[in-house]
Amino acid sequence: MATPRSTLTLWRIAVFCIALAPLLYWSYQVALNAAGPEPGRYLLLNIGQGTLWMLFATLSLTPLGKLTRWKGFTLIRRQLGLWTLAYAVAHLLCYALFILGLDLSRLGSEIVRRPYIIVGMLALLGLVAMGVTSNRASMRKLGKRWKTLHKVVYLVLALGLLHFFWVVRADLGEWSLYAAIGAGLMLLRLPPVARQLPKLRQQIKREHRQPG
């Protein structure tokens, strides 16, 4: 049964609000002076982790679509991808504003001290490349190359996790959770596993139809 267009519209609005909510919450915490002694660093770290969560959500859509065959997951793929880019840009702006103080002359020495900045910038460039080519015109223009280009998302995930690892390497507990989620999402995309998702859907439907 097809999902009504009004339901899909409400779904997209709900996704927009959910993606925006963390940014509003963190900003509200800063406004209330409830973000600790370093509100700039609070925003920087939370938005950085938010970028990974947005990326995870985006990567989960294809497996969810295969498992459920619901159009709604495909519908928000571009939306969540652009949200991932927006979070990454906000993370960069927080770094430029609160760490560099908008003094770009300090960037060279910062890169020497913190080489993970280069890793983060490479991940951001990958997101930008996918973001600017996520429209239908680019899909038509690039043809088969479009899918090849958007496989950069796997490299972006690896770079993002490496960037995060470098930042929190003194405490690997939280990073291990992120790495496990990322590995799980990649596992679901492997062809032998991905082919099992529709079969799993059919099995669940059969079990649901059986009388209790």
Side-chain angles (χ1 to χ4, degrees):
M1 181 177 179
T3 305
R5 181 174 297 181
S6 59
T7 301
L8 293 175
T9 300
L10 290 174
W11 166 241
R12 295 184 70 173
I13 293 172
V15 169
F16 178 90
C17 293
I18 292 169
L20 180 62
L23 296 174
L24 295 178
Y25 173 76
W26 297 325
S27 300
Y28 182 65
Q29 290 293 99
V30 170
L32 290 180
N33 293 319
E38 296 182 88
R41 183 171 177 80
Y42 168 86
L43 286 174
L44 177 70
L45 293 178
N46 278 291
I47 293 175
Q49 292 180 45
T51 304
L52 279 174
W53 282 112
M54 285 293 138
L55 184 57
F56 289 157
T58 304
L59 289 170
S60 72
L61 296 176
T62 295
L64 285 171
K66 289 182 177 180
L67 184 61
T68 66
R69 293 186 67 184
W70 186 49
K71 182 181 178 181
F73 292 122
T74 303
L75 186 67
I76 63 168
R77 186 182 300 162
R78 180 171 184 262
Q79 182 181 1
L80 280 185
L82 291 176
W83 269 113
T84 305
L85 174 59
Y87 268 71
V89 171
H91 181 60
L92 174 63
L93 291 176
C94 285
Y95 174 76
L97 180 61
F98 299 117
I99 305 300
L100 295 181
L102 297 180
D103 182 5
L104 297 183
S105 65
R106 295 173 50 196
L107 185 58
S109 61
E110 281 286 306
I111 290 175
V112 173
R113 292 174 54 205
R114 301 180 176 92
Y116 56 78
I117 295 171
I118 298 176
V119 176
M121 289 298 297
L122 290 173
L124 177 59
L125 288 175
L127 289 173
V128 169
M130 289 186 291
V132 299
T133 59
S134 63
N135 51 76
R136 291 183 180 178
S138 295
M139 292 177 69
R140 288 194 297 268
K141 184 176 181 180
L142 293 172
K144 293 181 179 180
R145 292 176 296 170
W146 187 88
K147 284 191 175 182
T148 302
L149 172 62
H150 281 249
K151 287 181 180 179
V152 169
V153 69
Y154 306 133
L155 177 60
V156 169
L157 175 62
L159 290 172
L161 288 171
L162 177 59
H163 176 75
F164 188 41
F165 170 80
W166 226 325
V167 172
V168 299
R169 59 186 182 275
D171 180 11
L172 296 183
E174 186 176 14
W175 181 85
S176 298
L177 172 63
Y178 282 77
I181 293 171
L185 289 170
M186 290 300 95
L187 180 65
L188 290 173
R189 286 173 170 267
L190 291 176
V193 179
R195 285 194 293 266
Q196 297 303 313
L197 294 177
K199 296 178 182 179
L200 178 60
R201 182 187 68 249
Q202 294 299 329
Q203 181 181 347
I204 294 173
K205 287 176 65 176
R206 285 195 300 268
E207 292 179 353
H208 181 71
R209 289 171 181 172
Q210 289 178 355

